[in-house]
Amino acid sequence: KNQDGAAMMKVMLLFLSLGAGMLVLGDAFTASSVTNTVPTTEKYWQIGGTLLRPAQSTPIPEELRKALYTNTHTVETQEELGRGVFVTADWRKAWHNYESPPEDPKLIDPDTGFAEYDVTDIEGTLPHDLVGTLYRNGPGKFGVNGERVQHVLDADALVIRVTFPPPSTNKERRVHFRSKFVWTEALEKETEAQKFLYRGTFGTSPRGWTPIFGDVSRKGLNEDPSPPGNPISLMAGNAFQTNIKNTANTQVIAFGGKLLALFEAGLPHALDPETLDTLGEDDMGGTLRKGRLPVKIAGDVPEMFVPDFLGGAAHTAHPNVCPRTGHLIGWHWSQLVSNEPSLEVTFNEWSPQSFELVASKTFVVKNCDLAPHDMAITENCVMLKVNALTMNQGAFISGLKGPAASLAMDGRAPVYAHIFPRPTAAKQFEPFQVELPACFSIHFSHAYEDEVTGNIVSFFSGWPPSDSKDFLGAWGGFAPDFTQISKTILWRLEVDPSTRTCVSMNVAPGSANACAEHPLVHPNFQTRPAKNVYASASNLVGDSSAPCGFTKHRVEDGKTETLLDGEKNTEIDAYFFGTRYFAGEPLIVPKHKGDLEDENQAYLLGVVQDSARDRSGVSIFDLERDLKEGPVCILWFKSSIPHGLHGCFALEGDSSTSVFC
């Protein structure tokens, strides 16, 4: 519907722009034919640039250079590590396409991402009380027909599954690995067409008609992406195309008999919990409408006057599980067409029994151009934080920029916390918002209602105030550029619901100069005070750099101190794998049949990549020991896994209720 009109509009824009754009067009032909003709092993053998050390061409020490030549590691101590040192070539390798290693060319199916084998390379001792199934999601297929995506977060999803069976006296305990790409409808069509057909959230997009604009230079999925094209080509290929590709690449959760791959600008995709086959979009028990944009017309407009491509909703990639009720708490959103930017949000609570909807509530968030990324829950509340972002609708609608690039960030402007009653809360109240100091909020670890003050306390990762205007643009190109990314810090926020004011927002106790992301707590402490918050760690010197380890933050009794930039926090409990390793998001998994009231009776699981040997694995830390003592076990896979995003651990089986970040 309306396709003919949209096509005509594109043709009109094309011809109106041709006269003024011929010079640009000529430049585009030249740019598209340029390829990198000097690939060399040593091209990126340099210390990676960081926020405090922006030079991208820092020479590497001789010992590290020898390690690069021999595919080995240098000898390093924990005292030497934690300063944000990494190698650019290694960091780029972390974002390579998921494919078979040279020594085993048939290990991974290049079309489906399928691989399956027993994990036999086990370093250390596998704990007997780690039982269940680990799932992990993230970008895995980085393009089509030799053309790489413009931004790593536009890549199609790869889900892995690692099973930890219970010990048996009758047979050997076998850890099993399986992987597959999430076969979305968009991926299927692009694979058939052998080119990009859809606009990505972060800048990947179709190009104008090939006979006019020429074909793209297809340098390979592990090479720098080709230039995005000139303005005329971008408009011809993308103007008025507002249906963003659902890559399903952000999170994967098991709950109520389902396994769902999540993407925050679309519907979840259901997967077979055992085979990882994609079953199609899931409507979350009838709460979502398929085939419609997450846009609604504000006001009481009769259904007959609403275009049939509107009226949909997109589901968050970050739901949560209440430890007391066992409910999955999620929310979906629709952008409202009105005089001011507004978002309609609906909070749902589902029972783990057959994914049954228990309760639901809908609200409107005013002055909101972008759906918040994460949520925090307490016994009675849901908290969302709206960052200072504004959308350039003209750049997006015209096709000149993708949705993320069309957002402008004001790193010095206030942020707003929106507090809503949970659908099943015993204490119902009118939603309210609280103005917070300037920052950029990313992920929550947990939140709770203080029993003494009644205040709402939450912990979250985020950027401090900055002059940055770019929203995740530094994650574009081949790999994230840390010279352009703010350091990520763990914050403590306290809000007084009676006065609807911010009591305080400061760096969390025990967290000075710890650049840390993906914070989380023991899953039984999601809605109450937790002694420790764990996170993936980049460094302990207040810089922005690649993640190479894990940290434990004593947020209730840790030191409140201020350190200078570059000064190392020597008090925090942390473990760094080494200069040539990278660490992903951690998960906290309770010990099988352990005491859920004891935060320490759990394991920290995190995917780690060994760049020297070009392989990934699952590291396992026993939280009854200090992190600095190192992992008790690492299960090494037969290949490398691209640096991923989020995952879960199903405690009682493949599709049972899982714990996740």
Side-chain angles (χ1 to χ4, degrees), residues 379-543:
E379 283 293 332
N380 293 287
C381 307
V382 175
M383 178 186 289
L384 301 178
K385 289 222 286 295
V386 176
N387 292 307
L389 296 165
T390 55
M391 170 71 85
N392 182 343
Q393 296 286 355
F396 172 55
I397 297 298
S398 68
L400 290 173
K401 293 183 178 181
S406 299
L407 288 164
M409 183 178 81
D410 187 346
R412 299 289 179 183
V415 171
Y416 290 90
H418 292 259
I419 316 295
F420 306 90
R422 275 179 52 178
T424 60
K427 300 177 183 177
Q428 292 293 319
F429 56 88
E430 287 297 314
F432 62 92
Q433 70 175 33
V434 177
E435 182 177 318
L436 307 178
C439 69
F440 189 91
S441 178
I442 308 176
H443 294 112
F444 288 99
S445 63
H446 68 302
Y448 60 88
E449 298 160 37
D450 190 281
E451 293 182 353
V452 177
T453 65
N455 292 345
I456 301 170
V457 178
S458 65
F459 294 84
F460 69 95
S461 63
W463 301 333
S466 73
D467 295 320
S468 176
K469 303 295 181 185
D470 194 10
F471 173 66
L472 288 183
W475 282 63
F478 193 91
D481 177 6
F482 292 99
T483 66
Q484 304 297 318
I485 300 174
S486 294
K487 60 184 178 183
T488 306
I489 299 171
L490 184 66
W491 300 84
R492 181 187 186 276
L493 168 65
E494 185 169 349
V495 169
D496 185 342
S498 62
T499 61
R500 300 185 176 184
T501 58
C502 174
V503 176
S504 63
M505 194 182 85
N506 300 296
V507 175
S511 303
N513 272 9
C515 180
E517 234 294 56
H518 299 134
L520 77 166
V521 297
H522 187 292
N524 204 40
F525 291 79
Q526 283 284 331
T527 58
R528 52 185 173 144
K531 293 180 181 179
N532 302 315
V533 170
Y534 298 88
S536 58
S538 296
N539 62 79
L540 303 178
V541 294
D543 201 357

Side-chain angles (χ1 to χ4, degrees), residues 36 43 71 130 165 191 211-212 216 242 250 259 262 302 314-315 325 385 420 426 514 527 573 620 637 660:
N36 180 7
K43 182 176 181 180
N71 294 323
L130 177 61
T191 301
I212 295 179
V216 66
T242 58
T250 310
L259 181 67
L262 304 179
H315 195 273
T325 64
K385 289 222 286 295
F420 306 90
T527 58
D573 182 23
I620 303 169
F637 304 146
F660 47 86

Side-chain angles (χ1 to χ4, degrees), residues 143-148 194 217-221 226:
V144 59
N145 192 22
E147 182 180 3
R148 186 178 172 92
Q194 286 295 285
S217 175
R218 303 182 185 280
K219 297 184 290 185
L221 302 188
S226 299

Side-chain angles (χ1 to χ4, degrees), residues 33-312:
S33 62
V34 173
T35 58
N36 180 7
T37 57
V38 287
T40 170
T41 304
E42 300 184 32
K43 182 176 181 180
Y44 297 101
W45 283 17
Q46 58 201 32
I47 300 299
T50 69
L51 194 64
L52 298 181
R53 191 183 60 246
Q56 291 272 11
S57 57
T58 304
I60 61 174
E62 185 59 31
E63 185 180 359
L64 184 54
R65 176 173 290 277
K66 291 179 180 178
L68 288 165
Y69 272 119
T70 57
N71 294 323
T72 57
H73 295 279
T74 57
V75 178
E76 300 166 308
T77 66
Q78 290 300 305
E79 288 72 23
E80 295 170 317
L81 296 170
R83 299 186 181 276
V85 178
F86 65 98
V87 177
T88 300
D90 290 340
W91 180 234
R92 287 173 62 90
K93 192 185 297 183
W95 298 97
H96 275 192
N97 193 62
Y98 183 55
E99 53 194 31
S100 297
E103 65 273 14
D104 193 355
K106 295 184 178 181
L107 179 68
I108 301 167
D109 186 295
D111 297 321
T112 66
F114 174 75
E116 184 176 28
Y117 50 83
D118 286 339
V119 178
T120 57
D121 189 351
I122 300 177
E123 183 179 318
T125 302
L126 179 63
H128 69 277
D129 51 359
L130 177 61
V131 178
T133 303
L134 170 69
Y135 295 100
R136 180 178 171 276
N137 195 358
K141 192 176 188 299
F142 284 84
V144 59
N145 192 22
E147 182 180 3
R148 186 178 172 92
V149 292
Q150 294 292 320
H151 195 291
V152 294
L153 297 183
D154 279 339
D156 291 288
L158 168 71
V159 172
I160 68 168
R161 170 183 180 268
V162 184
T163 56
F164 298 84
S168 172
T169 56
N170 300 325
K171 58 182 179 180
E172 181 184 3
R173 194 180 186 199
R174 298 169 58 190
V175 176
H176 193 70
F177 174 94
R178 179 175 287 153
S179 66
K180 270 190 181 177
F181 297 135
V182 179
W183 201 251
T184 64
E185 181 181 352
L187 175 56
E188 182 178 6
K189 289 183 177 179
E190 288 186 337
T191 301
E192 182 179 347
Q194 286 295 285
K195 64 180 180 180
F196 293 125
L197 300 175
Y198 301 89
R199 299 179 73 178
T201 301
F202 295 95
T204 305
S205 61
R207 298 168 187 263
W209 195 33
T210 300
I212 295 179
F213 298 101
D215 200 3
V216 66
S217 175
R218 303 182 185 280
K219 297 184 290 185
L221 302 188
N222 293 333
E223 297 294 335
D224 289 330
S226 299
N230 70 85
I232 304 174
S233 175
L234 289 173
M235 288 193 296
N238 301 282
F240 306 106
Q241 299 296 326
T242 58
N243 193 13
I244 302 303
K245 180 181 179 181
N246 183 344
T247 57
N249 69 5
T250 310
Q251 171 66 300
V252 58
I253 63 167
F255 184 86
K258 294 183 179 182
L259 181 67
L260 300 173
L262 304 179
F263 177 73
E264 59 193 355
L267 270 65
H269 279 77
L271 309 179
D272 184 290
E274 183 175 352
T275 66
L276 299 183
D277 289 342
T278 303
L279 306 179
E281 289 185 332
D282 190 272
D283 64 5
M284 300 293 282
T287 60
L288 303 173
R289 301 174 74 175
K290 297 182 180 181
R292 300 197 177 207
L293 295 177
V295 178
K296 294 183 178 180
I297 300 175
D300 297 325
V301 180
E303 183 74 20
M304 62 184 295
F305 296 117
V306 178
D308 59 11
F309 59 88
L310 299 181

